[in-house]
């Protein structure tokens, strides 16, 4: 038995496949067709059932033999995803009719997908590009399986569209309403978020420099800043709407207030990060306050500043969208979400959420890239 | 005495400065409306009287500090706690869903962290998605979660608590992963020489080492849960709670009510963070930590 190397996921997957085989029909039309052979309706999975089972069993069997891990991963990847695709494609037109074997096969495919991720994450490639590729592929498979299970369960169990639309419907909605989404992004992100983010972070940064120059200000401002950053500042949204009106200016004001204190607290902490020895060295060079600040202390504070910028990137988006609940012109992501929920267009809401998540990730990613470029010397970037 | 002079004096000075700035802005921001009123009533008050009037409008653009203080005092101490205008009652409604959500979030965060530390494939696949999950503005999703859960018959405390959970699990998960990985290789090797099992290493080395990280992240998480609970109240039809007070204040332009609800929210936040801090210190001392 030297060539056999069982692991628990494929073994369980094979058992689930056998259970599905024993239970028989995969959907209620198929059960009806079996009970009444004269019926004319062609049930789903007439031809593909054997293919799905075969794919899963073969992939599971191959993964248990002693093969190079990369080969095993490829076999598992192809088998699991092809089977999942056939499952989802087969239910088309028969939504809500799936029986237990459908879900058993889905679980089996998911287990093989998990095994694939486990094999991939045990790989330790030497080449740099391979490591980067792995770092992207593994989370991508995990995310893809969330979508696959979501799609398969909503369609298989026939979950009402109002409760949870399948990802494919959300994707279709995004594709169909690009102009509306673009207008919302323009209003919320390009006007309120960007302006508020830059103004708020900039003001926090300048206040931190002022607090650093005047020790009295630092001792007084910092405890207050620490306390305020724990407060629910989002509550000022109605006040800002009362002051600055319904346009994007009031949202930008909320974002400014929300991003100010994280920046202040982090920058003050960062300016204290350079060591005494380094500061003494600057003194021996006879450099004054400003040259020391620019050449030594600000670079040393950069990791803290970028930390604040990262925190602020999500805070800014949240602040702008929530502020739109308190009053807005008829455009904007928060406006769209609150009205489409009322009109039960849940797929539009999910489309808006997907766009917001994408925008947030891109925003975060840009800040992270800038961080890598600026603080290339820091241990967390160089890698240990 | 030293800490008195180096901390209390600057803090009170700056607070006093803020109050003065607040009064100045209250006068400036309320002036246009007051001038309008006086013109219509054909009055021509002196400067002092005019300033007095700007500070006592019933619906000011920016209420003066004493107006907020009076409103806060009336709604906190002079009303029975069961009245739905009482701030104590509204704060309690928000606090209950905050605490439930915080408990869920802490438990979820710890479970995720244990999974990430012990299962290699979870470490590689889950962590990027946890970070990505926080770029979804959950507060924007909040109304939908509440509508969807109401459609399947779950209403009341649970939906609001779930939003708090979503906001509070992330800091706990990240902090716990860091904490559970904080024992050095030398300590782990020592456990190996004791022939300790995986569960012994976990309970006797990793868990105690993670406690300081846990409480630091719990302080962040409890503040996040409060924000979640407040925002979760916005779309529920504004029945009770600090968020509901903010929303009804915004509808009826009762700016003094909004401000006193904000003050109540801030006090709740400060109390929650302090309680978590004290709990952290007590646990630290019970584990044999000595104040540095």
């Amino acid at each position: 038995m030297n060539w056999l190397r069982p692991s628990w996921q494929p073994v369980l997957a094979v058992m689930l496949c056998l259970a599905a085989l024993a239970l028989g029909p995969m959907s209620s039309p198929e059960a009806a067709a079996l009970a009444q052979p004269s019926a004319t309706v062609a049930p789903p999975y007439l031809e593909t059932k054997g293919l799905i089972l075969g794919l899963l069993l073969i992939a599971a069997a191959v993964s248990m033999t002693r093969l190079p891990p990369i080969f095993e991963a490829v076999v598992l990847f192809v088998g699991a995803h092809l089977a999942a695709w056939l499952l989802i494609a087969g239910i088309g037109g028969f939504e809500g009719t799936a029986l237990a074997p459908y879900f058993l096969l889905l679980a089996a495919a998911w287990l093989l997908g998990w095994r694939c991720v486990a094999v991939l994450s045990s790989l330790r490639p030497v080449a740099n590009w391979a490591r980067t590729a792995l770092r992207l592929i593994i989370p991508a498979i995990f995310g893809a399986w969330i979508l696959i299970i979501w799609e398969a369960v909503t369609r298989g169990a026939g979950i009402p569209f109002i409760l949870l639309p399948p990802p494919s419907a959300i994707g279709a909605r995004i594709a169909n309403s690009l102009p509306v989404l673009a207008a919302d992004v323009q209003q919320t992100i390009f006007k309120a978020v960007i302006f508020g983010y830059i103004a708020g972070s900039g003001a926090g940064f300048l206040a931190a420099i002022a607090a650093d120059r005047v020790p009295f200000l630092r001792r007084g401002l910092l405890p207050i800043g620490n306390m305020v950053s724990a407060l629910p500042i989002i509550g000022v949204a109605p006040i800002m709407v009362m002051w600055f009106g319904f346009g994007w200016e009031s949202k930008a004001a909320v974002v400014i207030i929300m991003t100010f204190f994280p920046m202040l607290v982090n920058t003050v902490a960062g300016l204290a990060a350079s060591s005494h020895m380094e500061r003494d060295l600057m003194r021996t060079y006879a450099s004054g306050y400003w040259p020391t600040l620019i050449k030594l202390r600000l670079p040393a504070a950069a990791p803290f500043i970028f930390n604040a910028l990262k925190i602020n990137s999500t805070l800014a988006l949240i602040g702008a969208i929530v502020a739109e609940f308190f009053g807005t012109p008829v455009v904007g992501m928060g406006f769209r979400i609150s009205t489409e929920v009322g009109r039960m267009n849940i797929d539009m809401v999910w489309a808006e959420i997907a766009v917001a998540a994408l925008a947030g990730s891109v925003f975060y990613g840009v800040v992270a890239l800038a961080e890598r470029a600026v603080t290339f010397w820091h241990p967390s970037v160089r890698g240990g | 005495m030293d800490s008195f002079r180096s901390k209390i004096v600057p803090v009170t000075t700056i607070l006093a400065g803020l109050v003065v700035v607040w009064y100045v802005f209250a006068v400036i921001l309320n002036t246009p409306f007051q001038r309008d009123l006086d013109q219509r009533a054909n009055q021509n008050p002196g400067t002092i009287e005019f300033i007095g009037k700007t500070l006592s409008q019933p619906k000011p653009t920016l209420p003066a500090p004493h107006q907020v203080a009076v409103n806060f005092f009336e709604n906190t101490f002079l009303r029975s706690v069961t009245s739905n205008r009482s701030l104590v009652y509204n704060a309690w409604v928000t606090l209950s869903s905050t605490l439930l959500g915080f408990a869920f979030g802490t438990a979820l965060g710890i479970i995720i962290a244990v999974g990430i530390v012990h299962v290699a494939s979870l470490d590689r696949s889950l962590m990027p998605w946890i970070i990505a999950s926080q770029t979804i503005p959950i507060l924007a999703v909040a109304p939908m979660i509440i509508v969807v859960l109401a459609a399947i018959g779950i209403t009341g405390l649970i939906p609001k608590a779930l939003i708090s959970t979503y906001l509070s699990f992330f800091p706990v998960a990240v902090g716990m992963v860091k904490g559970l990985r904080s024992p050095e290789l030398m300590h782990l090797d020592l456990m190996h020489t004791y022939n300790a099992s995986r569960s012994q290493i976990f309970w006797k080395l990793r868990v105690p080492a993670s406690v300081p990280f846990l409480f630091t992240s719990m302080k962040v998480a409890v503040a996040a849960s409060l924000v979640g609970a407040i925002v979760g109240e916005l779309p529920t039809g504004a029945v009770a709670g600090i968020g509901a007070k903010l929303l009804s204040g915004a509808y009826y332009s009762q700016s003094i009510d909004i401000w006193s609800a904000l003050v109540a929210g801030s006090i709740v936040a400060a109390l929650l963070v302090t309680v978590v801090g004290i709990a952290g210190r007590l646990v630290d001392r019970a584990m044999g930590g000595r104040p540095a």
Side-chain angles (χ1 to χ4, degrees):
Chain A
M1 297 294 269
N2 213 358
W3 45 271
L4 198 66
R5 186 181 54 179
S7 50
W8 68 271
Q9 291 107 331
V11 172
L12 195 58
V14 168
M15 281 157 63
L16 288 178
C17 283
L18 295 180
L21 202 57
L23 280 172
M26 290 179 49
S27 61
S28 35
E30 192 180 342
L34 281 179
Q36 202 180 20
S38 59
T40 50
V41 178
Y45 304 118
L46 201 58
E47 286 123 24
T48 55
K49 188 178 180 184
L51 194 56
I52 296 171
L53 273 171
L55 269 172
L56 289 174
L57 288 173
I58 290 171
V62 168
S63 81
M64 281 191 277
T65 52
R66 275 194 191 280
L67 286 167
I70 188 79
F71 187 71
E72 184 187 349
V74 168
V75 168
L76 282 169
F77 182 84
V78 171
H81 288 82
L82 210 53
W85 184 74
L86 287 172
L87 268 176
I88 292 174
I91 201 77
F94 298 91
E95 274 88 355
T97 59
L99 296 176
Y102 174 84
F103 295 104
L104 289 179
L105 288 182
L106 180 67
W110 170 63
L111 282 169
L112 292 184
W114 185 349
R115 176 69 195 156
C116 177
V117 168
V119 170
L120 282 177
S121 49
S122 65
L123 287 180
R124 290 282 175 273
V126 192
N128 245 338
W129 63 267
R131 257 200 303 244
T132 315
L134 267 187
R135 224 180 24 233
L136 294 176
I137 288 172
I138 293 172
I141 295 179
F142 186 86
W145 273 98
I146 293 178
L147 291 183
I148 289 172
I149 291 176
W150 179 353
E151 177 89 32
V153 170
T154 47
R155 292 176 71 164
I159 293 175
F161 199 75
I162 296 287
L163 286 186
L164 192 65
S168 55
I170 298 167
R173 171 59 84 162
I174 293 179
N176 284 336
S177 45
L178 280 179
V180 176
L181 290 171
D184 290 346
V185 167
Q186 161 85 5
Q187 167 79 11
T188 305
I189 295 180
F190 287 110
K191 286 182 183 166
V193 171
I194 300 272
F195 177 79
Y197 179 77
I198 293 173
S201 302
F205 181 73
L206 293 180
I209 303 263
D212 183 66
R213 195 77 179 97
V214 186
F216 183 81
L217 207 57
R218 180 174 62 228
R219 283 203 298 270
L221 208 53
L222 214 54
I224 296 174
N226 268 325
M227 211 190 89
V228 173
S229 53
L231 299 183
I233 310 182
I234 223 152
V236 300
I239 295 165
M240 291 302 132
V241 174
M242 281 171 76
W243 285 7
F244 296 104
F246 288 145
W248 64 269
E249 294 86 355
S250 58
K251 283 83 206 170
V254 175
V255 174
I256 289 175
I257 294 178
M258 285 185 73
T259 51
F260 178 81
F261 287 101
M263 193 60 171
L264 171 69
V265 172
N266 273 287
T267 309
V268 169
L271 286 176
S274 59
S275 72
H276 265 292
M277 209 128 75
E278 289 158 338
R279 267 180 262 176
D280 284 346
L281 181 67
M282 291 306 273
R283 274 180 68 85
T284 63
Y285 292 158
S287 75
Y289 175 81
W290 292 108
T292 314
L293 183 72
I294 289 168
K295 292 190 174 141
L296 167 66
R297 298 176 63 214
L298 279 183
F304 291 83
I305 295 172
F306 274 104
N307 190 25
L309 285 176
K310 277 182 181 167
I311 296 172
N312 282 347
S313 68
T314 51
L315 275 185
L317 209 55
I318 287 173
I321 291 178
V322 171
E324 286 181 356
F325 293 163
F326 289 97
T328 155
V330 289
V331 65
M333 303 174 92
F335 166 79
R336 194 78 54 206
I337 289 172
S338 53
T339 51
E340 298 293 333
V341 163
R343 293 163 60 188
M344 287 292 170
N345 283 337
I346 301 297
D347 56 341
M348 186 63 197
V349 179
W350 277 101
E352 205 74 54
I353 292 168
V355 171
L358 185 67
S361 304
V362 168
F363 199 174
Y364 189 93
V366 168
V367 175
L369 278 181
E371 181 183 26
R372 287 182 81 85
V374 173
T375 63
F376 55 88
W377 44 269
H378 196 261
S380 67
V381 176
R382 269 188 292 145
Chain B
M1 211 51 203
D2 194 41
S3 80
F4 176 78
R5 222 175 317 145
S6 69
K7 273 221 177 116
I8 310 248
V9 171
V11 171
T12 33
T13 317
I14 289 195
L15 277 180
L18 284 179
V19 170
V20 170
V21 170
W22 186 346
Y23 267 113
V24 169
F25 269 93
V27 171
I28 295 174
L29 285 170
N30 295 336
T31 293
F33 185 64
Q34 188 63 37
R35 195 168 285 152
D36 219 35
L37 277 185
D38 286 347
Q39 236 162 28
R40 255 180 256 166
N42 262 331
Q43 286 174 338
N44 203 358
T47 316
I48 302 292
E49 198 188 340
F50 183 77
I51 289 177
K53 274 185 173 175
T54 56
L55 296 182
S56 55
Q57 288 174 358
K59 288 185 179 182
T61 314
L62 173 59
H66 67 264
Q67 284 179 304
V68 177
V70 167
N71 182 293
F72 181 78
F73 184 78
E74 275 177 1
N75 285 329
T76 311
F77 298 106
L78 301 185
R79 291 187 198 282
S80 72
V81 274
T82 50
S83 144
N84 65 359
R85 293 197 56 186
S86 160
L87 276 177
V88 178
Y89 168 75
N90 282 299
W92 166 247
V93 169
T94 303
L95 187 63
S96 56
S97 59
T98 304
L99 290 179
L100 187 65
F102 177 58
F104 283 166
T106 309
L108 182 65
I110 291 176
I111 290 171
I112 288 176
V114 172
I116 283 179
V117 169
H118 282 101
V119 184
S121 56
L122 279 185
D123 176 27
R124 302 292 290 272
S125 56
L126 197 55
M127 205 56 189
W129 287 104
I130 289 182
I131 294 171
S133 80
Q134 295 301 306
T135 63
I136 298 175
I138 184 70
L139 300 182
V141 188
M144 211 195 59
I145 292 176
I146 285 170
V147 169
V148 165
L149 288 181
I152 54 174
I154 301 172
T155 51
L157 203 59
I158 304 284
K160 286 191 281 173
L162 282 181
I163 294 158
S164 297
T165 305
Y166 189 91
L167 283 179
S168 59
F169 93 91
F170 177 70
V172 173
V174 172
M176 263 314 258
V177 167
K178 209 167 193 176
L180 289 173
R181 291 214 171 118
S182 65
E184 289 162 38
L185 213 55
M186 219 158 38
H187 297 154
L188 290 171
D189 282 344
L190 183 65
M191 292 303 271
H192 274 299
T193 63
Y194 291 161
N195 195 21
S197 68
R198 260 175 93 101
S199 74
Q200 280 173 326
I201 293 180
F202 179 74
W203 289 112
K204 300 194 169 163
L205 176 62
R206 286 190 191 275
V207 169
S210 71
V211 165
F213 290 87
L214 176 65
F215 277 99
T216 316
S217 3
M218 271 164 72
K219 273 193 204 170
V220 179
V222 80
S225 318
L226 184 67
V227 172
I230 289 179
V231 175
E233 281 162 3
L234 296 182
T236 45
V239 189
I242 291 175
K245 282 291 257 187
L246 288 175
L247 200 61
S248 67
Y251 280 156
Y252 305 115
S253 339
Q254 295 287 357
S255 50
I256 305 182
D257 277 356
I258 298 183
W259 280 90
S260 63
L262 267 182
V263 171
S266 315
I267 291 176
V268 171
L271 282 180
L272 285 174
V273 174
T274 315
V275 166
V276 173
I278 290 174
R281 223 170 301 153
L282 287 181
V283 170
D284 190 41
R285 198 161 308 161
M287 286 180 12
R290 296 276 167 273

